[in-house]
Amino acid sequence: MTELEILEKYEPVLRFAKSERFFPMAVEPYLEQCLIFPSGPHGVVEALLHLNEPLVARIGKLKSEQFFLRFINKPLNDSDVWVWWALLSAAGMVGGWFAANFAGIEAVLALSLLGALVIFMLASPIRLRIIPAALAVLFFVVAEVVPVWFFLHPSRYISVAVEYLILLPIYLIVLFYLSVRTMKFILDHLIPEAPGMVMDMLSQATEKIARESYFEYAKILEKDPKPVYYGRVLRETDAEANHWTILQYHFFYAFNDWRLAANGMNHHEGDWEMVAVYLKNDEPYAVLFSQHGAGNIEKWRTVRKAVDEHGNDTTHPVVYVALGSHANYSRPEVIRSPVMYKPGRLQQLLFWVDGFIHYLFLLLNPNQRARQIALRQFWTQGGNFLTEEMFASMRDETDHYVVTLPMEIASGDGHRIGLDGQNTREGILKSTSYIKRIMSDRQTTRPHVKEWRRVLLNPEPDWVQYKGLWGVKSMLSEESGPPGPKWDRPRKDQIGVQERKRWGRPLEWLAELENTVPNKK
């Protein structure tokens, strides 16, 4: 059996969540659109030596790890729009002067400022979801403050007694009501977006860039509609003379939009994931799954397999891909806590503050049911009071989550890639039960073809040797683009980069997961 044939025999079936926007793709179209930038002195020197070569041709010649790729290179703020805005505003003011003197200028100025606000909202890199909420809060604040002018300036038409004994109490009641509603709106729509907005800015992969990446990926799909995996076959012998065949399936995604898709942790261009099937003495032994730089293991006897058209189990493991993050799971799962992997300290702080503010609002809420939720959490959590685990479990009386925390949604209720068969027997969860309808119903573009295009990494293409990042380098390592399938992420305390354990020492990776993942020995 050839390497391509054995890879095809055990190739996985990938199940995605309903609103997933990015699917395994070929590397070359991504590289054709990318620009490469040096991130250190060695990178600058090498960049000058290979200045006039196409990126696809030179990427494998670069020896240094001091590089990063950038997929979205178009300016997000179109200067022509602002030029037209300035010209039209000036012309409008001139016309307003001739039409109505200063009153005309004031009217045109107001319209001009409104137009500038609209342009800013469309062009700004800040999270688009926060803009409508911010405008609504601004409206509430104006509605509360404007009447103050009325009470500070006595009216000739309303008596003082009517103004202060009737209108003022009514205004204070309305003011209190609007204040409570404004605070609730802030807690429901602004604060949950704040951690993500801060991380977007630091990651240089904002919601705006995530959307642009989706549109560019959709254009690539029109020309190359077939999903791709990069296969690799390794053969090794362990200390007990067992013969191992390791089948690696590497998947490349144009973007990781976990934060936008499921209130997740990070955003970054480029995303490398993999699934490996281990054969021991030619018999399937286990399937290993990449998850956030680490991994998980499932023994073959408990792995879910695709069912063929006759109702028989096949040799194709079913893999559930998490929404946005593309981490791989052996069964449909929804994990709702930032402890699913080791986040950065700033990420932990932001989401903890978000949960703490929501808890205080519940505790001080005039609604008795809300206060009971907060008090019940206080008495039942004990030593976990005000921890992320407490926030992750808080539900209201209708069993909905109270605090928005990151979620890993490997539901499998969306697009499916791989061997066709009796797909309804594979098991799914409904992602709409865990995220808002506006998120689960967002626009998606899926590959028109569901069958894999198989690319054998033997011999290795030049791009495998590229040691830099496959996305923009961020101030926070967790928010930077990933390294390629062969290399570990560059570390500050070492010179150069090391080969990934799962790439070069697959039996060590297997032993590590068997010893560290509970109940998987």
Side-chain angles (χ1 to χ4, degrees), residues 29 61 65 83 94 334 422:
K61 301 177 182 178
E65 76 281 1
V83 171
V94 172
V334 174
Q422 296 189 18

Side-chain angles (χ1 to χ4, degrees), residues 191-304:
I191 289 180
E193 297 294 335
M197 187 174 69
V198 173
M199 299 310 300
D200 278 0
M201 295 302 182
L202 293 175
S203 70
Q204 303 182 57
T206 63
E207 180 182 3
K208 183 78 172 178
I209 293 177
R211 293 176 187 273
E212 289 288 335
S213 296
Y214 161 66
F215 293 134
E216 293 302 322
Y217 170 66
K219 293 177 184 177
I220 292 174
L221 272 185
E222 293 177 3
K223 301 178 181 178
D224 192 2
K226 207 164 189 178
V228 177
Y229 72 72
Y230 292 92
R232 188 164 175 259
V233 180
L234 295 88
R235 292 183 171 86
E236 297 196 6
T237 303
D238 63 19
E240 299 174 354
N242 294 304
H243 297 284
W244 293 87
T245 303
I246 298 102
L247 311 176
Q248 295 184 347
Y249 303 86
H250 296 271
F251 312 107
F252 179 70
Y253 301 86
F255 200 91
N256 173 318
D257 67 340
W258 186 16
R259 190 156 49 237
L260 177 62
N263 296 314
M265 282 293 187
N266 49 32
H267 261 189
H268 54 76
E269 293 180 333
D271 198 14
W272 277 103
E273 300 292 345
M274 68 97 71
V275 172
V277 177
Y278 281 63
L279 308 180
K280 182 178 182 181
N281 298 321
D282 296 328
E283 293 296 326
Y285 177 76
V287 180
L288 277 62
F289 306 85
S290 66
Q291 294 175 357
H292 304 295
N296 206 339
I297 181 174
E298 188 81 21
K299 292 300 177 63
W300 185 260
R301 64 180 180 274
T302 60
V303 168
R304 296 192 181 193

Side-chain angles (χ1 to χ4, degrees), residues 339-353:
V339 298
M340 65 188 74
Y341 88 122
K342 188 178 180 181
R345 293 181 179 178
L346 181 58
Q347 290 170 318
Q348 287 180 309
L349 175 64
L350 287 171
F351 286 109
W352 185 88
V353 170

